[in-house]
């Protein structure tokens, strides 16, 4: 027979391939291929049936032509025919052709599936393997549909050959990856897990890949694999290098299997069973011990295999984070690697150490390597290694070594790679702030930073310096002195000028006593930099100048001269021109008192997440430095800076008591009602004018920094709407019943904290509130809109009914007398004891021209004010969502949209609600999901929210579906009610 | 100006590399190889811009010639130079092939030094070059010192293409009119586009410094003379079919020896010819073209697996003339599995490597017709794409000028030597070839 005599050589194919290789040009190759294709076509077309050998040969040629990049549009049928051959080589070529060429939507798929099915049910292991490989290679959904049920059976059947089991496990893994919904393990789970006990190492290796993948999706079902994996691991680790024969790689027993086992264990928490855990710890210790042994071979493969296991073990140790002993040993091991001559090892060691540094057990151990790491930062030739070294330094920093690390990083910064400079700057800035015990050190460091790497200092860094200097009285003098000195350098960076301008403008008076830094010297110094700066900086400097006029009246004429010069007052830049004109007018018209009020020292900034930290997070993306570490840092930073925060609060209260409210708060009352201006006496109108002007300026001024309070523009936009809607008759005598529209007013404040609560022709009540944990503080501003004084002005806050036990409200008394056009402030402290639904009532009584006015409002205190936002990843969110699955925990509402569906507006509202708006969590990008924890004194109530807008609901109206789930049913219900009114 | 010149073989290996300017680096050599020769898609444009560098290439058999520049040069000039370069090389060592180039390595560098100076093209006239670049087979005819000292003055002189003191015993002159006719025709026989590009190639063996004058049936000249009352009775031609008197030339270019000022003012072509081979002029016409052959295709699809093709060709010129080297190429579908051909005349064969039926006829007289019919069997495929039906193309050679161009006279004047126009033996030949001659089916 020809097939036998010709053997498997396929001479025709060899000749064809050598012909192609000998072609001198592309054209010649195409000619040769065309000829061959014509030949194959005539052979396939020919009436006499081809024998298996020729079929195989021609299909092979077609495959070769296809792989050369030519289209093949025939021969599929012949390839499918080959599948039913009994010869291995023919079947193999058939499967090969199909894996490479057949796409899933082909009509032939049914025939192919049939052939595969036959092979799978045959008892011939090689045929079964071929079929499994084909399924895995094609891996389409159709294949999964047809065979997903069959393969697990083959995998766990007792009589299946080892090689087939291996293929089946990997094939199943592939199908699971492409269409997880079709691969249902259910009944097979335990038997698959028991494959870990298989005699054959190959089967174990294949099965473990499958199990790792499956257990990531449903960890609980595969929990039993932990103990099996541990025992398997211990057997491998304790075996001598000769025990495993085929699976020993350069004297390392089964390195791949060990790595996979260790990785599987990383999917689970430490085993609870003491014996298992002991065994595992023993294994890990053995691995660490082995690393200390002298290498059995000088070959690089030996050390690679060994180190692979070691690093996998170390990441398991870090993952468990519960064995101090192991953590320290791992750290020491990594410390050795830090000085290894292999660059890759040093890189890996630095990277692993970063995670080790965040563990409380090994933090100290990591710190011992600080010198080595600093050395690495300075001497490594590869920038990626240096980057890791910088990361590690950042991670290992704490109060004890902060000064050293910051100093080292600063000195390195001068020579650092441009690609990592910005990140280094941010890190230095964060560390300096976080561990600053002595704030003069902090100021020095940051100013140094700006001096060394000014170009890489982002806006956030210098914003932060100013926030801190303003919030801390004790450094202001020092800061002013230092920036003054720094500015004396002939060339200083623009960021330095910005910081200098701002700080001298605020606190220049603190150093004015020294004749070397007299006001005029300060001004001249700043002004000498003016012309070298960009427009935003110049604008800032102009604001600093007007502040100078306030601080040092003796500089007034000089500064007015500067402002009056054509280069300012006729500047082509609108912003600069406006500032110059306004400041000039302000300085020449307003009395010193007015100036002092308008240009008062900036109020302390509210404590918030450090803007630099946010920037670093954004820059690094998730995963680079563990987010926990950053959170921890933030918390620590908050504690450390707590003193400053309290100081800030204190001064704010002091300001309000002195009844010289800060400009931004005052604007709230006075700027919103244009009719007032008309009715008000001349003194009042002047005040209003000045304020509005100052307000604009102030706005501009604040635009450079992040404004400490909500921008007054937005208040202006929201304010006036109410003044018309509130008729005077609402002033009722009955103190118990609130105004009819007070519910509506309440709803207005669900998503915002500041604004105008109430307004009629006599009175305007502005509100400003802040909440932290379960505590809240509310500032109420009562503005007298008339020219006549209010007498016996009293306010009382009551908690009706059961609210008394839910909310603790304390209010300070207010001045009983409000002059015409004046404004008084009241502070109300609120403590949330447990969750509540009603709102406390505010009763206001006063006499206006003899008539008693009495009105009752609801204070806008709603449960959502006590939210703490919680960031979480997508799977966390859905896991928690599922946990809150009891029917009473969920509240749902479907309602019509009151306003247009504007994504930005919706986002702003949800953010105002106080929950964290989670991006990229819901599969549908239209939907919004939020998470937060309500802090009450009694308990914490976790809540999740999902808002699904539907722009094209039936009847053309826009609808929303709001679902709230929280651990307490009343909370869900109340939140749902509150929110339903908002959209 | 040209920055450098490279010659590659088919694999993209550099055979010759000559850089004239500093702005062209060594990496330019690789850039062209990677982006053009080894490009995934076949590069069709002869000009390629890679990283602000322009590459102009021509291909001769398997050899790539590429001129490189970073400046904004006249592309036509560069291509003219490349063609000249090919002509010069052919004149020196015959066919341009890898082996010939390798064997004449030194010569080529010498030529490149001479015909390009700092990227500016110099004298590329083969006759002149051969006087001072001598290699192997080409021996300098004059060895005397005086003659060698003349080379400089001659090459740099006004008539750089011809040296003084040439003497022949027999003054002879050969003139070939070579034309290629291009056609695209619809299946119904409608001409979609047609033009003729022609060349007048001469070979002159004339003594001294003769002044020549060339006349043809250019419409403008004939009309002018017709107005002037002189009738030219040689207008009757023995050429194919048309008895037309004159032709309209769309555009033409001349050899540098032609006095352009005279052509502009009098439209007469007068020149002092170079010695030996040269191309006097090139021209193009688009009107009143004589199409030597007409192809009538008939394609019928019988079911999914069979195709019947019948093609008739008709010769359309004087019966006394003979067309030669006729070849008709009928494309076949890509899934052809077998072909049966029947033809009355010539030989036809299915060439699988080219996906076409090639029908060859050695000779065919005018006003005849011949036909071929073929049955093509097809293999059913899963591909639903319909066959694009590429056009049927044709090659031939006919002994007349399809444009209708005719040489009216070629006069030679040599005042200093004692031979006149009548003593010169003149040979004129017309050859019409097919360019891209296609009929859609």
């Amino acid at each position: 027979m020809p097939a036998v005599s010709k053997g498997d050589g396929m001479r025709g194919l060899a000749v064809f391939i050598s012909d192609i290789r000998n072609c001198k040009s592309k054209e010649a190759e195409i000619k040769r291929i065309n000829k061959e294709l014509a030949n194959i076509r005539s052979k396939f077309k020919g009436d006499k049936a081809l024998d298996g050998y020729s079929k195989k040969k021609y299909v092979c040629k077609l495959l070769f032509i296809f792989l050369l990049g030519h289209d093949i549009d025939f021969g599929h049928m012949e390839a499918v025919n080959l599948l039913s051959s009994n010869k291995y080589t023919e079947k193999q070529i058939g499967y090969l052709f199909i894996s490479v060429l057949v796409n899933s939507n082909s009509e032939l798929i049914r025939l192919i599936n049939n052939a595969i099915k036959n092979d799978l049910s045959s008892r011939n292991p090689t045929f079964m393997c071929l079929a499994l490989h084909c399924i895995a290679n094609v891996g389409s959904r159709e294949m999964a549909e047809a065979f997903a049920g069959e393969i697990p059976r083959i995998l766990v059947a007792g009589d299946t050959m080892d090689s087939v089991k291996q293929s089946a496990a990997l094939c199943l893994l592939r199908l699971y990856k492409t269409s997880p919904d079709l691969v249902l393990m259910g009944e097979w789970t335990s038997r698959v897990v028991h494959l870990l006990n298989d005699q054959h190492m190959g089967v174990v290796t294949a099965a473990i890949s499958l199990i790792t993948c499956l257990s990531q999706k449903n960890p609980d079902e595969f929990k039993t694999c932990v103990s099996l994996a541990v025992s398997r691991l211990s057997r491998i680790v304790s075996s001598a290098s000769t025990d495993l024969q085929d699976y020993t790689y350069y004297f390392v027993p089964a390195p791949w299997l060990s790595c996979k086992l260790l990785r599987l264990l990383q999917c689970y928490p430490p085993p609870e069973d003491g014996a298992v855990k002991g065994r595992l710890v023993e294994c890990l210790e053995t691995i660490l011990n082995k690393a200390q042994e002298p290498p059995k071979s000088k070959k690089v493969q030996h050390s690679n295999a060994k180190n692979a296991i070691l690093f996998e073990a170390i990441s398991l140790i870090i993952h468990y984070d519960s064995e101090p002993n192991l953590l320290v040993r791992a750290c020491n091991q990594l410390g050795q690697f830090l000085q290894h001559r292999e660059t890759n090892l040093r890189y890996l060691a630095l990277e692993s150490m970063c995670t080790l540094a965040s563990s409380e057990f090994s933090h100290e151990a990591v710190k011992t390597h600080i010198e080595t790491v600093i050395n690495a930062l300075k001497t490594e030739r590869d920038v990626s290694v240096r980057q890791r070294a910088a990361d590690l330094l950042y991670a290992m920093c704490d109060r004890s070594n902060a000064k050293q690390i910051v100093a080292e990083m600063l000195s390195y910064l001068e020579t650092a790679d441009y690609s990592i400079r910005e990140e280094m700057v941010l890190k230095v800035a964060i560390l300096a702030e976080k561990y600053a015990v002595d704030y003069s050190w902090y100021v020095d460091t940051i100013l140094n930073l700006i001096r060394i790497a000014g170009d890489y200092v982002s806006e956030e860094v210098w914003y932060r310096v100013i926030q801190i200097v303003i919030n801390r009285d004790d450094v202001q003098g020092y800061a002013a002195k230092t920036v003054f000195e720094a500015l004396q350098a002939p060339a200083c960076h623009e960021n330095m000028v910005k910081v200098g301008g701002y700080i001298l403008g605020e606190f220049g008076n603190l150093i004015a006593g020294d004749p070397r830094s007299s006001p005029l010297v300060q001004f001249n110094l700043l002004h000498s930099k003016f012309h070298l700066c960009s427009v935003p900086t110049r604008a800032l400097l102009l604001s600093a100048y007007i502040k100078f006029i306030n601080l040092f009246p003796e500089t007034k004429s000089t500064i007015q001269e500067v402002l009056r010069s054509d280069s300012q007052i006729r500047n082509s830049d609108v912003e600069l021109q406006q500032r110059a004109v306004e400041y000039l007018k302000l300085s020449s018209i307003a009395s010193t008192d007015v100036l002092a009020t308008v240009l008062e020292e900036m109020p302390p900034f509210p404590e918030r997440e450090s803007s630099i930290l946010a920037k670093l997070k954004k820059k690094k993306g998730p995963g680079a430095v563990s987010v926990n570490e950053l959170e921890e840092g933030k918390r620590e930073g908050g504690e450390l800076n707590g003193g400053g925060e309290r100081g800030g609060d204190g001064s704010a209260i002091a300001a309000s008591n002195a009844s010289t409210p800060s400009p931004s708060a005052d604007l709230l009352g006075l700027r919103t009602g244009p009719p007032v201006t008309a009715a008000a006496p001349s003194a009042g109108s002047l005040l209003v004018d000045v304020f509005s002007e100052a307000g604009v300026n102030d706005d501009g001024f604040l635009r450079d920094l992040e404004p400490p309070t909500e921008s007054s523009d937005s208040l202006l936009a929201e304010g006036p709407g109410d003044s018309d809607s509130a008729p005077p008759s609402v002033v009722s005598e009955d103190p118990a019943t609130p105004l009819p529209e007070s519910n509506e007013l309440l709803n207005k404040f669900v998503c915002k904290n500041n604004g105008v609560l109430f307004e009629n022709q006599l009175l305007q009540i502005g509100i400003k509130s802040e909440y932290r944990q379960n505590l809240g503080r509310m500032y109420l501003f009562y503005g007298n809109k008339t020219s006549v004084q209010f007498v016996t002005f009293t306010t009382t806050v009551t908690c009706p009914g059961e609210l008394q036990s839910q909310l603790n409200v304390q209010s300070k008394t207010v001045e009983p007398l409000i002059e015409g056009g004046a404004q008084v402030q009241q502070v109300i402290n609120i403590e949330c004891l447990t969750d509540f639904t009603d709102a406390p009532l505010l009763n206001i009584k006063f006499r206006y021209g003899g008539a008693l006015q009495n009105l009752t409002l609801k204070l806008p205190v709603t449960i959502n004010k006590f939210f703490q936002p919680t960031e979480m990843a997508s799977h966390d969110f859905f896991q928690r969502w599922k946990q809150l699955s009891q029917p009473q925990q969920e509240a749902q509402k479907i309602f019509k949209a009151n306003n247009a569906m504007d994504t930005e507006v919706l986002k702003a509202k949800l953010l105002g609600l106080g929950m964290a708006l989670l991006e990229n969590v819901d599969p549908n990008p239209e939907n919004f999901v939020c998470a937060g924890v309500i802090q009450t004194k009694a308990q914490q109530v976790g809540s999740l929210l999902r808002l699904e807008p539907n722009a094209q609901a039936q009847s053309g109206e826009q609808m929303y579906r709001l679902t709230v789930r929280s651990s307490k049913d009343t909370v869900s219900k109340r939140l749902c009610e509150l929110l339903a009114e908002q959209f | 100006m040209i920055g450098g010149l490279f010659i590659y073989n088919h694999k993209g290996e550099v055979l010759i590399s000559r850089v004239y300017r500093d702005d062209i680096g060594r990496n330019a050599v690789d850039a062209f190889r990677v982006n053009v020769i080894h490009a995934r898609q076949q590069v069709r444009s002869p000009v390629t811009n890679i990283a602000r560098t322009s590459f102009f290439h021509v291909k001769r058999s398997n050899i790539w010639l590429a001129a490189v520049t970073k400046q904004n040069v006249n592309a036509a000039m560069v291509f003219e130079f490349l063609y000249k370069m090919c002509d010069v090389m052919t004149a020196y060592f015959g066919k341009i092939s890898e082996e010939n180039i390798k064997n004449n390595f030194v010569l080529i560098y010498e030529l490149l030094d001479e015909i390009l100076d700092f990227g500016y093209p110099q004298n590329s006239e083969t006759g002149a070059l051969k006087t001072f670049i001598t290699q192997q087979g080409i021996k300098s005819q004059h060895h005397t010192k005086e003659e060698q000292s003349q080379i400089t003055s001659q090459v740099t002189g006004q008539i750089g293409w011809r040296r003084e003191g040439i003497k022949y015993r027999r003054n002879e002159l050969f003139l070939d009119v070579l034309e290629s006719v291009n056609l695209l025709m619809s299946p119904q026989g409608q001409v979609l586009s047609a033009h003729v590009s022609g060349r007048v190639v001469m070979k002159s063996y004339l003594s001294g410094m003769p002044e020549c004058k060339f006349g043809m049936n250019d419409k403008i000249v004939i009309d002018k003379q017709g107005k002037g009352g002189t009738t030219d009775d040689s207008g009757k031609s023995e050429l194919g079919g048309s008895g037309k008197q004159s032709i309209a030339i769309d555009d033409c270019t001349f050899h540098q020896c032609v006095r352009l000022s005279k052509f502009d003012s009098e439209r007469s072509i007068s020149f002092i010819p170079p010695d030996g081979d040269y191309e006097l002029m090139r021209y193009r016409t688009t009107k009143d073209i004589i199409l030597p052959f007409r192809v009538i295709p008939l394609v019928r699809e019988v079911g999914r697996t069979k195709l019947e093709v019948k093609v008739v060709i008709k010769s359309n010129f004087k019966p006394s003339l003979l067309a030669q080297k006729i070849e008709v190429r009928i494309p076949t579908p890509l899934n052809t599995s077998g072909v049966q051909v029947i033809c009355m005349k010539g030989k036809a064969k299915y060439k699988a490597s080219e996906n076409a039926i090639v029908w060859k006829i050695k000779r065919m007289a005018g006003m005849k017709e011949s036909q071929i019919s073929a049955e093509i069997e097809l293999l059913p495929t899963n591909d639903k794409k319909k066959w694009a039906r590429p056009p049927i193309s044709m090659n031939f050679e006919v002994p007349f000028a399809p444009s209708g161009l005719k040489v009216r006279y070629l006069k030679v004047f040599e005042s200093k030597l004692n031979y006149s126009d009548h003593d010169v033996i003149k040979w004129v030949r017309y050859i019409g070839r097919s360019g891209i001659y296609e009929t859609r089916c």
Side-chain angles (χ1 to χ4, degrees), chain A residues 23-27 30-32 34-35 38-39 41-42 44-45 71 73-76 106-108, chain B residues 10 39-40 42 59 62 305 334-337 350 352-355 377-385:
Chain A
C23 282
K24 285 243 160 116
S25 64
K26 213 168 199 167
E27 293 76 33
I30 290 169
K31 275 189 175 173
R32 182 68 186 89
N34 280 339
K35 193 176 154 199
N39 176 34
R41 279 194 301 259
S42 68
F44 283 171
K45 176 82 179 179
D71 283 339
D73 49 11
F74 66 98
H76 301 73
S106 161
E107 299 156 3
L108 291 169
Chain B
H10 71 279
R40 242 161 218 288
Q42 199 187 348
K59 217 180 156 194
N62 273 333
T305 58
L334 292 174
N335 55 344
T336 305
S337 62
Y350 167 58
S353 60
E354 289 154 43
N355 283 321
E377 279 181 75
L378 305 174
L379 188 76
T381 62
N382 350 5
D383 215 0
K384 299 287 180 288
K385 263 184 286 171

Side-chain angles (χ1 to χ4, degrees), chain B residues 100-161:
Chain B
N100 275 344
I101 286 176
K102 279 180 177 165
N103 290 340
N104 293 285
F105 184 69
V106 180
L107 169 68
I108 293 173
Y109 274 111
E110 214 174 320
L111 284 172
L112 282 176
D113 277 344
E114 198 52 53
I115 59 179
L116 264 186
D117 190 1
F118 195 46
Y120 292 98
Q122 306 294 311
N123 193 349
S124 56
E125 200 54 52
T126 324
L129 285 171
K130 277 185 178 169
T131 60
F132 52 89
I133 297 180
T134 54
Q135 283 273 324
Q136 291 179 355
I138 297 127
K139 284 249 163 43
S140 184
Q141 282 110 343
H142 34 86
H143 297 281
T144 58
K145 275 201 171 161
E146 306 85 73
E147 278 176 329
Q148 279 188 344
S149 66
Q150 277 177 9
I151 290 176
T152 327
S153 64
Q154 183 245 310
V155 167
T156 54
Q158 214 177 9
I159 306 168
W161 57 88

Side-chain angles (χ1 to χ4, degrees), chain A residues 321 324 327 355-365 632:
Chain A
D321 195 15
L327 280 165
T355 36
L356 269 179
S358 59
S359 162
E360 50 177 325
F361 301 114
S362 53
H363 187 81
E364 286 305 315
E632 193 181 67

Side-chain angles (χ1 to χ4, degrees), chain A residues 518-801:
Chain A
S518 70
L520 220 53
V521 174
Q522 283 185 36
F523 171 73
N524 285 336
L525 181 62
L526 273 185
H527 198 58
S528 68
K529 314 282 181 200
F530 186 88
H531 301 282
L532 304 170
C533 296
S534 61
V535 169
T537 311
R538 287 188 191 194
L540 191 148
L541 283 178
L542 285 182
S543 298
Y545 294 169
I546 188 73
K547 291 232 165 189
F548 265 40
I549 293 185
N550 176 38
L551 290 178
F552 318 115
E554 66 266 37
T555 59
K556 186 170 175 176
S557 58
T558 322
I559 292 173
Q560 280 183 337
E561 199 57 45
V562 169
L563 292 174
R564 203 175 290 127
S565 71
D566 279 358
S567 63
Q568 309 301 351
I569 212 156
R570 294 193 183 156
N571 195 299
S572 59
D573 188 86
V574 180
E575 178 70 33
L576 288 183
Q577 195 186 79
Q578 188 179 354
R579 282 190 190 212
V581 171
E582 286 174 356
Y583 289 160
L584 187 60
K585 270 278 172 277
L586 179 66
S587 66
S588 45
I589 292 175
S591 68
T592 40
D593 292 349
V594 173
L595 267 184
T597 320
V598 174
L599 302 169
E600 205 200 6
E601 198 174 288
M602 291 298 286
F605 289 85
E607 204 52 46
R608 64 181 104 179
E609 188 192 13
S610 160
S611 50
I612 1 181
L613 207 56
K615 167 117 184 179
L616 185 69
K617 272 189 203 169
K618 201 166 70 193
K619 206 172 152 58
K620 296 281 272 196
V625 167
S626 85
V627 177
N628 289 339
E629 161 66 2
L630 288 170
E631 297 290 354
E632 193 181 67
K634 182 188 147 200
R635 206 173 58 233
E636 207 172 319
E639 282 159 20
L640 271 171
N641 291 334
E645 196 182 319
R646 275 193 297 282
D649 283 358
S651 65
I653 291 164
S656 63
N657 285 348
S659 87
T660 39
S662 60
S664 53
D666 203 350
L667 294 169
L668 203 88
L670 286 167
R671 280 183 60 206
T672 41
V676 183
T677 324
S682 57
S685 80
L686 172 67
L687 203 62
V688 167
D689 270 351
V690 168
F691 274 159
S692 58
E693 199 175 330
V696 172
N697 294 333
D698 233 277
D699 253 352
F701 192 24
L702 291 172
R703 208 176 303 140
D704 296 329
L705 290 173
E706 292 174 59
T709 53
E710 194 173 40
S711 153
S712 42
D713 280 343
S714 64
L715 292 178
L716 195 63
E718 287 154 5
D722 300 65
S723 56
D724 307 326
S725 66
S729 64
V730 295
V731 183
S732 66
E733 289 294 324
D734 188 359
T737 51
L739 293 174
E741 77 271 32
S742 62
N743 268 331
E744 200 181 301
L745 292 174
L746 189 67
N747 281 330
K748 246 176 60 185
F749 282 87
V750 168
C751 290
K752 61 179 184 182
N753 284 340
N754 306 331
V756 176
L757 176 64
F758 172 78
E759 185 166 20
N760 64 13
Q761 287 170 349
L762 305 176
L763 181 70
Q764 185 196 44
I765 306 174
I767 193 165
K768 192 178 156 228
S769 48
E770 46 191 11
Y771 295 88
R772 194 166 296 127
Q773 308 279 4
N774 63 328
L775 299 176
R777 179 175 292 142
M778 189 177 272
Y779 300 90
L780 291 170
F781 300 94
Y782 302 100
N784 184 348
K785 287 170 71 173
T786 65
S787 53
V788 186
Q789 60 179 202
F790 294 160
V791 288
T792 63
F793 188 84
T794 51
T795 62
T796 42
V797 180
T798 51
C799 294

Side-chain angles (χ1 to χ4, degrees), chain B residues 265-329:
Chain B
S265 56
E266 303 164 27
R267 219 169 161 88
S268 74
I269 302 166
S270 70
F271 55 99
I272 297 171
D275 199 36
D277 291 320
Y278 59 98
E279 184 185 284
L280 182 66
M281 73 177 283
R282 266 185 238 173
Y283 58 90
R284 205 170 67 93
T285 69
T286 49
K287 283 201 190 96
D288 301 326
I289 294 164
I290 309 152
L291 297 173
F293 284 97
R294 166 88 206 275
V295 178
I296 304 157
L298 237 163
V299 180
R300 202 160 69 89
E301 283 175 47
V302 188
R304 275 192 70 195
T305 58
K306 208 170 166 190
L307 201 66
E308 281 180 5
V309 182
K310 200 170 119 182
V311 177
V312 180
I313 57 168
K314 283 184 181 166
S315 56
N316 181 31
F317 46 88
K318 275 187 148 185
S320 58
L321 296 174
L322 273 182
Q324 284 183 315
K325 298 177 190 167
I326 300 151
E327 185 185 289
V328 182
R329 182 176 291 265

Side-chain angles (χ1 to χ4, degrees), chain A residues 186 201 222 236 559 623 861:
Chain A
M201 294 288 253
F222 287 87
I236 295 171
I559 292 173
V861 181

